[in-house]
Amino acid sequence: MTGTEHPLVTDYLATIEREASFLPAGRREELLADLREHLAVAVGDEEDPQAVREALERLGSPSAIVAAARAEEPETAADAPKVKPRTRNVVTAVLIGITGLSALGGSAPAVAVLIVGLVLLWTSDAWDRRTKAQTTALTLATPVVVALGALLLAARFGPTELLAVLAVGITLPAVAAVRLLRTQPPTA
């Protein structure tokens, strides 16, 4: 039996191969080939388990060898920390927040702002599903509340009632926007 066929050496190399699975296949094979070559010389035809263990200990623990191999690897773009684009989150919150104000400019701008804001919200991974649903509910409740208020107060629609309906129409989306800004994840 040669040094690389000894069960302790086989287990040692299997551990290194498993722990080094993050390495590109070529680099991992190169590391294992170097270790096999070194172990063939260091262990030779030794069959005594204690002598083989001592040779493996001199070489170093599998964790230490894999850590050294990791340190030699250049950092790739996949390993780099991801930076979440905060600008998109702020734009989404602002669009949601101004849906009430955009209604003052007419229904076409209000609908456009509402649709763009909701599309940005639902295609973003910055918020969880619950936050998105609550924001959507608050934003879509605005035109319903304004229409109901205008309908119910139509008989005595004066400046006070108009201001109340406008305040609600502006406040609901603003609350939704503030909620979005407070619950967005911190930037990396």
Side-chain angles (χ1 to χ4, degrees):
M1 170 175 14
T2 65
T4 57
E5 294 173 350
H6 193 283
L8 291 174
V9 173
T10 304
D11 289 346
Y12 181 84
L13 290 171
T15 301
I16 290 176
E17 184 171 16
R18 190 174 46 255
E19 289 185 19
S21 64
F22 67 90
L23 288 173
R27 175 65 180 109
R28 186 173 54 247
E29 289 305 317
E30 179 185 337
L31 173 67
L32 290 168
D34 289 347
L35 288 170
R36 281 188 192 98
E37 186 179 309
H38 182 77
L39 287 167
V41 173
V43 175
D45 292 332
E46 186 64 56
E47 291 191 26
D48 177 38
Q50 186 57 36
V52 173
R53 276 190 201 93
E54 289 172 5
L56 293 174
E57 286 174 7
R58 282 192 302 273
L59 191 56
S61 73
S63 301
I65 290 172
V66 171
R70 180 181 296 258
E72 292 174 3
E73 283 298 301
E75 187 175 303
T76 63
D79 297 333
K82 305 278 189 251
V83 177
K84 301 239 182 216
R86 186 176 169 98
T87 305
R88 178 185 169 155
N89 299 347
V90 172
V91 168
T92 302
V94 168
L95 285 173
I96 295 292
I98 64 168
T99 55
L101 286 174
S102 64
L104 299 175
S107 60
V111 170
V113 169
L114 177 66
I115 290 173
V116 171
L118 290 177
V119 166
L120 285 173
L121 173 68
W122 283 95
T123 58
S124 172
D125 61 350
W127 297 285
D128 61 13
R129 188 178 195 93
R130 180 179 177 190
T131 301
K132 290 177 181 180
Q134 289 172 345
T135 300
T136 302
L138 278 172
T139 306
L140 293 178
T142 303
V144 173
V145 168
V146 170
L148 266 172
L151 190 67
L152 293 174
L153 300 172
R156 56 184 192 105
F157 208 73
T160 306
E161 290 78 15
L162 176 63
L163 288 175
V165 169
L166 287 175
V168 169
I170 292 170
T171 303
L172 288 177
V175 167
V178 168
R179 176 163 170 65
L180 287 179
L181 290 172
R182 284 189 175 175
T183 59
Q184 73 176 341
T187 55

